[in-house]
Amino acid sequence: MIQNAGGVDIDHVVPLKWAWDHGASSWSRQKREKFANDPVNLIPVEAGLNRSKGARGPKNWLPPSGKCAYVARFYRVTKTYRLQLSAAEAKWIRDFLQQCR
């Protein structure tokens, strides 16, 4: 439980920089704003956890708990916005989610 609101960040499940590198750089300003403010892509987290994540995707960073839900949400957002996963990233996500069943 978080006791101090100052210790909370609103995190992008799919980081903005990660999205930029996976196709968002070609989006319109309106689409980038929609993505950045999409409630499905936003989650309250402890500030330190957000800092440890940086701009990494789930292959390189996972939260300490709720890993399956996090990866599923990450994948949902990438599909919704048609972000371009590499073959290795897509395989990693599929394999990871397969283990969650």
Side-chain angles (χ1 to χ4, degrees):
M1 175 186 263
I2 299 171
Q3 300 293 326
N4 178 356
V8 176
D9 278 354
I10 301 301
D11 181 33
H12 291 92
V13 175
V14 176
L16 300 179
K17 169 74 167 96
W18 191 97
W20 183 267
D21 293 341
H22 289 79
S25 62
S26 66
W27 294 350
S28 68
R29 181 172 185 245
Q30 291 82 10
K31 186 172 181 178
R32 288 194 307 270
E33 285 180 10
K34 180 181 176 186
F35 174 80
N37 294 300
D38 187 336
V40 176
N41 193 34
L42 298 174
I43 188 168
V45 298
E46 291 180 42
L49 201 59
N50 191 21
R51 309 276 187 301
S52 74
K53 174 184 168 191
R56 295 181 285 174
K59 185 176 176 191
N60 298 308
W61 183 91
L62 288 171
S65 63
K67 291 173 177 63
C68 289
Y70 177 82
V71 173
R73 193 168 181 173
F74 184 98
Y75 187 60
R76 175 181 173 194
V77 172
T78 64
K79 289 311 227 179
T80 298
Y81 287 91
R82 296 188 178 120
L83 290 165
Q84 303 157 2
L85 297 168
S86 71
E89 290 166 331
K91 181 182 182 331
W92 186 93
I93 289 172
R94 280 192 309 272
D95 291 347
F96 186 91
L97 292 176
Q98 194 72 343
Q99 297 172 31
C100 294
R101 294 181 182 189

